[in-house]
Amino acid sequence: MGIPFGPHLAVPGLSPARGVGIEAGRAAVRLVQLPLDVAAGSVGQLAGRLSRALPRRRTGLEAPPPLVTAAGNPVLLVHGLSDGECVVSSLQRGLDGVGAGPYFEVGCSAFTPDIRAAAQNLGERVERACESHGTRSIVVIGYSLGGLIARYYVQRLGGDARVPLLITLATPHGGTATALLAPPHPLLRQLRPGSALLTELAEPAPECRTRFVAFYSDLDEVVIPAARGRIDHPDLMARNVLVPGVGHLTLPLHQPVIDHLRSLLTATWQAAPAVRPQHGDAAQSEERPRRRAAPGSP
């Protein structure tokens, strides 16, 4: 694909003192925004549930429009719990000029039952995005919990047939100790180290064709210990990128991370013939049957 994959890498970070100061400032802003974001996300999901439960009429509003429609390389942004606007808008601005777009946004809220269900919803959104844009593949960028949802979709639900590249930012791939202290929500229980879901993701995945890039930090106050932000799976084509001295909220907005994302996306689209099959290519147009998720509770 033109993307070098090999040893673990690092991008320029911050000194611990400066990183803590910047993260504290962002945390203060998020505390102010959080109640509104939680309410907006919950209302949006509740409205979606009601629309699926009630008899449907063709209104033209069933699928949300893409966030940007000018370019020709679709990107799907998957955010975590109630942090969509601050991450999505910043990533869009940072990726401006590399030919990215249209953008599609997917997230989760307190109404999301668990990661498996969220991954199934993500798969439906991917299919609609590819259909509306006339493409067979889409790059996915997942932040925090959103990265784990995207990984489950790609690794366990056959999403690798659609996603040539999955980039995760501050994602607890190995779980996090902070989930042990979190409220007993089914979704948060799945983030506990050794959970059934994380055990499932550790199972062999020799057929997974997606390439992964996981950005993680040694100053992440949410993903503890820091090494749990890495993808260490023998079957996955993964690169782990350390961002030193940067907190959980700062990492997706850190300029060296944005610069690295731009390089990754450019390399992916330069390899477009290998990533986006041309119409009429019967061999590549056939999609692999979706694998069933293993049954189990959080």
Side-chain angles (χ1 to χ4, degrees), residues 95-151:
L95 298 177
D96 185 41
V98 296
Y103 291 92
F104 301 88
E105 178 187 355
V106 177
C108 61
S109 74
F111 281 96
T112 303
D114 68 357
I115 290 173
R116 294 184 182 92
Q120 291 174 351
N121 292 335
L122 171 60
E124 296 172 1
R125 190 69 182 97
V126 166
E127 294 302 317
R128 293 199 300 269
C130 289
E131 181 181 358
S132 66
H133 191 63
T135 184
R136 294 188 180 91
S137 65
I138 186 169
V139 171
V140 176
I141 301 175
Y143 169 59
S144 190
L145 176 62
L148 200 60
I149 293 170
R151 179 181 168 187

Side-chain angles (χ1 to χ4, degrees), residues 152-171:
Y152 191 92
Y153 160 65
V154 164
Q155 185 178 332
R156 302 296 299 177
L157 301 182
D160 59 326
R162 289 292 196 191
V163 181
L165 175 65
L166 169 58
I167 301 170
T168 67
L169 309 169
T171 291

Side-chain angles (χ1 to χ4, degrees), residues 211-226:
R211 295 178 181 244
F212 299 81
V213 180
F215 290 84
Y216 71 104
S217 172
D218 57 1
L219 197 67
D220 194 319
E221 72 279 13
V222 175
V223 182
I224 300 174

Side-chain angles (χ1 to χ4, degrees), residues 5 164 208-213 231 233-239:
F5 279 76
C208 186
R209 296 170 287 183
T210 296
R211 295 178 181 244
F212 299 81
V213 180
I231 299 177
H233 191 298
D235 293 332
L236 300 182
M237 296 176 286
R239 170 200 281 178

